[in-house]
Amino acid sequence: MTHSNAYLTAATTGAALLLIVASAHGADRTAASAAPKPQAVAPPPAFATCNTCHSVAKGGPNGVGPNLFGVVGRAAGTKPGYVYSPAMKGSNIRWAHAKLDAYLADPKAVVPGTKMMIPGIKDAAKRSDIISYLETLK
Ligand code: HEC
């Protein structure tokens, strides 16, 4: 019965190929989860205060403040659908790390007239944690 033998061989080869594919896929997944994956990063404790006014979900809503997904590298005052203060709209800022750091330390000093009413975060380590987190939201 050459015919069924050939079939068996093909079936076995197929199964072996499947195993190879499956284990290669497994290796891929391990490598991917070992690397820092943007979406997998949890917000630092210091971010809890931001959450009351800002959503960080991709495509998420604006709240009291604008949605912050993708804010790092974005021009200030440009999130569609959000009504900014004239001060923020006219600020000509692009949100790089250093600008965010200064703004979070003292919002009114960097954007006089901003309607983000927080006193500012004095702890540099907390600001750094927050900004590193914002950088993953892309
Ligand atoms: C009480 C509400 C409130 C809290 C708390 C708050 N924000 Fe805001 N945030 C705002 C508002 C309102 C604006 C819009 C400011 C404007 O138009 O002048 C804003 C604007 C911003 C912007 C500029 C966004 C853009 O699209 O240009 C960033 C960045 C930002 N907030 C980050 C933070 C971070 C990080 C925290 C936590 C440390 C935080 N905010 C906490 C209300 C808040």
Side-chain angles (χ1 to χ4, degrees), residues 49-50 53-54 64 74 76-77 82 84-85 95 114-116 121:
T49 160
C50 320
C53 296
H54 292 285
V64 173
R74 184 161 90 197
Y82 183 79
Y84 289 91
S85 65
W95 291 123
T114 181
K115 60 174 184 171
M116 174 157 137
I121 299 166

Side-chain angles (χ1 to χ4, degrees), residues 33-116:
S33 60
K37 257 285 178 185
Q39 282 85 347
V41 176
F47 196 77
T49 160
C50 320
N51 261 332
T52 57
C53 296
H54 292 285
S55 161
V56 292
K58 183 178 186 178
N62 295 312
V64 173
N67 180 292
L68 292 181
F69 185 88
V71 73
V72 180
R74 184 161 90 197
T78 58
K79 183 72 190 174
Y82 183 79
V83 181
Y84 289 91
S85 65
M88 185 62 81
K89 277 194 102 149
S91 68
N92 257 330
I93 286 171
R94 188 165 290 275
W95 291 123
H97 194 107
K99 267 294 175 203
L100 280 166
D101 188 60
Y103 182 65
L104 295 180
D106 192 352
K108 284 189 288 291
V110 175
V111 183
T114 181
K115 60 174 184 171
M116 174 157 137

